[in-house]
Amino acid sequence: MKISELSAATDVPVATLKYYLREGLLPPGEALSRTSAAYGDAHVERVRLIRALTSVGGLSLATTRQVLEVIADPGTSRVDVLGAAQRALLGEDFVAGPEGDDPDEGGNPPSRARAWLAEAGWQVHPHDPVIDDLDTAWAACDAAGLGLDEARMTQYADAVLRIARVDVDSVPPDAAGAVRQVVLGTVLVDRVLAPLRRLAQQHIAVSESD
């Protein structure tokens, strides 16, 4: 198909497709002449993936490019695959510190989230920047007076572990497919869980008032 047909198949303007091509997000088509190329189903799938990551997932083009690179070369083991996918979502190169390093050393205030995770026995890397995100969000809840103490956090964690089990069990065995599933599942299902939680709150409030 020509680029105009690719545009029609994906509902993406030709100008945007040409931008994806220039930026290396979309691989070039098969050259037909000096000014035209042919595109196939793989290009349709790639454009839809880019749109899902950017429009629905809210990722930047730079992070989207990194995600696409990870999907193409994800690594081997299950841990490698999950780690590569999550690093891509962070939009940065997360490099683990030396084994045994304490991220709270060096005069930094102790991390409430790290202490809670250690107490809960969660096997996560102590330098993972997502823990810092949890610390920041937890502190904001405290500032707002929401009463999110360790006991309530544990209740949330129990529910989240069940969600994570569904996520991990859905990951296909092949590395490329696994990265794609983890990335898209994390980005897109996050957008499902937030409204689902609100609907669940409404359901419980109404059902318990009957």
Side-chain angles (χ1 to χ4, degrees), residues 112-113 115-122 134 138 147-162:
R112 186 181 185 187
W116 177 84
L117 288 164
E119 179 68 23
W122 281 32
L134 178 58
W138 200 345
L148 181 51
D149 58 10
E150 278 73 7
R152 184 174 165 192
M153 180 65 80
T154 298
Q155 290 182 298
Y156 282 135
D158 290 341
V160 171
L161 282 172
R162 290 195 293 273

Side-chain angles (χ1 to χ4, degrees), residues 2 29-38:
K2 296 180 180 179
E30 180 183 354
L32 298 177
S33 68
R34 190 176 62 84
T35 58
S36 65

Side-chain angles (χ1 to χ4, degrees), residues 1-15 17-18 21 26 32 35-40 44:
M1 69 183 78
K2 296 180 180 179
I3 195 167
S4 58
E5 295 171 310
L6 179 61
S7 173
T10 58
D11 198 28
V12 175
V14 170
L17 295 176
K18 289 182 177 179
L21 288 165
L26 187 64
L32 298 177
T35 58
S36 65
Y39 302 91
V44 173

Side-chain angles (χ1 to χ4, degrees), residues 7-8 15 22 26 45 55 64-65 81 128 135 143 147 154 192 203:
S7 173
R22 289 196 303 271
L26 187 64
E45 174 66 17
S55 298
T64 297
R65 182 184 294 104
V81 166
D128 193 320
D135 263 322
T154 298
V192 172
H203 164 70

